Amino acid sequence: MRSDKILVAGGGGFIGGHLVADLLRKGHQDIRSVDIKPLNEWYQVFPGVENLQLDLQDKAACEQATKGAGTVYNLAADMGGMGFIENNRALCMLSVLINTHMLMAARKYEVERFFYASSACVYAADKQTDPNVTALKESDAYPAQPEDGYGWEKLFSERMCRHFREDFGLVTRVARYHNVYGPLGTYDGGREKAPAAVCRKVIQAKMSGKHEIEIWGDGKQTRSFMYIDDCLKGTQAILASEILEPLNLGSSELVTINGLVDIVEGIAGVKLKRHYNLSAPKGVNGRNSDNTLIKKYLDWEPGTRLRDGMERTYRWIFDQIAKRS
């Protein structure tokens, strides 16, 4: 029997919370949202949704979460920005338990479609040594040389999805996220990613009157950043598609970290003195998303310019910090 129940694993997190909100907007009523965090720490909580606090590293918890669901979005992982993943490789690797047990539960309860959120960290490090990077194609994940810890776990879990599809007939779909950002996410505490961290630092510098900012690395490293709304649209399109292999889901609008700081300074109407911390975690020198395949297969490309998405993100973080002051 077909089930309309949708499970969002990691629903108390940044992307998961936005996904639940989007599913509700689209009229889905039977939604189960699961996260390890207590409900009062979830970024978004919705009435009418079955909200469960469960540790999805545990097999029994995955079965409880998955039972009765027809569709599963697995966004659950122990992760954060570069400052977290470079210093917590074992914790990142342990997320392999989540996807393994989620796949086992999905097979047991005959889930119809299973989405796995992978990452651009699966890509080979030797293809990301130059800030003027050639955009990464899906095939660049092999020969394998991913980000240590977090990237290896993501690549292994991608293979698990593939083999559960090939061996057991479970319909699995995989997206490789490239730096998702937006409001209602982590902006301090050590797990935040670059867009939110830069917003917070600029806001604090402006509020304090101490017009200085610390930048990790030399600021010349390049990235692409995808706004949350574009991520949600692409995620749902990939799950609904017949594309078997992992697909890039990211923006191809390349920017240096210095350029990102320029954007946020412009939004804030301030100019800061920059201090470069060359011993801080900075990740690869260059990373960008080649969107050839997803554009060809699904006619998807991001609709949000970086400047516009950063302005919305900045305004939200500003309001959060102002509330605390």
Side-chain angles (χ1 to χ4, degrees):
M1 261 181 67
R2 187 176 180 279
S3 170
D4 291 328
K5 186 184 292 294
I6 300 172
L7 166 63
V8 178
F14 164 52
I15 300 174
H18 279 285
L19 178 59
V20 172
D22 195 53
L23 292 168
L24 288 169
R25 277 193 297 270
K26 290 178 174 172
H28 295 284
Q29 295 180 335
D30 194 358
I31 301 171
R32 179 181 292 151
S33 183
V34 177
D35 206 281
I36 192 172
K37 297 185 289 290
L39 251 64
N40 63 358
E41 294 179 17
W42 290 25
Y43 292 114
Q44 299 185 67
V45 180
F46 302 94
V49 171
E50 183 186 359
N51 299 305
L52 301 178
Q53 183 190 356
L54 296 170
D55 181 355
L56 295 176
Q57 291 189 54
D58 180 67
K59 183 170 176 278
C62 289
E63 292 188 353
Q64 181 183 342
T66 305
K67 188 175 183 179
T71 300
V72 172
Y73 289 93
N74 183 17
L75 309 172
D78 197 354
M79 56 86 69
M82 195 51 60
F84 178 79
I85 66 177
E86 281 203 4
N87 293 308
N88 295 277
R89 293 189 175 104
L91 287 179
C92 290
M93 287 293 286
L94 282 170
S95 290
V96 75
L97 294 171
I98 298 173
N99 199 52
T100 303
H101 291 143
M102 286 297 297
L103 283 167
M104 292 169 71
R107 180 191 176 207
K108 177 176 179 176
Y109 293 116
E110 299 180 339
V111 162
E112 290 156 38
R113 289 201 168 235
F114 183 100
F115 174 86
Y116 176 63
S118 186
S119 165
C121 290
V122 302
Y123 285 114
D126 63 4
K127 296 183 186 293
Q128 303 174 78
T129 57
D130 188 340
N132 301 309
V133 65
T134 302
L136 294 157
K137 303 187 298 292
E138 283 81 357
S139 57
D140 288 330
Y142 295 94
Q145 192 192 356
E147 187 97 43
D148 203 6
Y150 182 70
W152 274 110
E153 186 276 322
K154 289 295 186 187
L155 193 61
F156 177 84
S157 291
E158 284 189 9
R159 301 295 287 196
M160 287 283 285
C161 288
R162 171 180 169 176
H163 296 314
F164 267 69
R165 173 173 55 79
E166 292 174 340
D167 293 1
F168 305 132
L170 179 65
V171 178
T172 60
R173 299 291 181 262
V174 176
R176 291 174 180 159
Y177 287 164
H178 288 248
N179 297 312
V180 188
Y181 74 100
L184 292 161
T186 304
Y187 62 90
D188 63 3
R191 289 181 184 252
E192 67 276 16
K193 295 188 175 183
V198 170
C199 287
R200 185 199 76 240
K201 289 178 179 181
V202 170
I203 291 163
Q204 289 174 335
K206 185 177 181 180
M207 283 183 165
S208 69
K210 187 180 179 185
H211 286 189
E212 298 180 359
I213 186 171
E214 181 185 87
I215 296 172
W216 288 5
D218 60 12
K220 296 174 184 175
Q221 63 269 39
T222 52
R223 293 291 186 276
S224 66
F225 299 100
M226 172 175 53
Y227 191 64
I228 182 63
D229 291 1
D230 296 318
C231 173
L232 299 176
K233 187 175 179 182
T235 293
Q236 292 168 78
I238 288 172
L239 179 65
S241 78
E242 297 309 310
I243 313 303
L244 302 183
E245 299 306 314
L247 282 178
N248 277 334
L249 193 60
S251 170
S252 55
E253 183 184 348
L254 194 67
V255 66
T256 63
I257 298 302
N258 279 327
L260 187 66
V261 175
D262 290 340
I263 288 170
V264 180
E265 285 180 336
I267 293 166
V270 71
K271 202 69 186 165
L272 306 176
K273 183 178 180 182
R274 301 181 185 188
H275 302 286
Y276 295 95
N277 184 348
L278 300 181
S279 62
K282 72 180 188 74
V284 296
N285 288 325
R287 176 181 291 156
N288 197 10
S289 179
D290 184 317
N291 290 342
T292 304
L293 283 184
I294 193 168
K295 192 169 182 184
K296 173 185 170 184
Y297 291 142
L298 302 175
D299 196 28
W300 178 93
E301 55 184 332
T304 311
R305 289 187 319 138
L306 182 60
R307 174 67 166 73
D308 297 335
M310 287 301 293
E311 182 152 11
R312 293 171 210 158
T313 306
Y314 178 93
R315 300 295 173 210
W316 182 80
I317 294 174
F318 182 91
D319 289 346
Q320 302 313 300
I321 292 174
K323 281 182 205 167
R324 292 180 175 183
S325 300

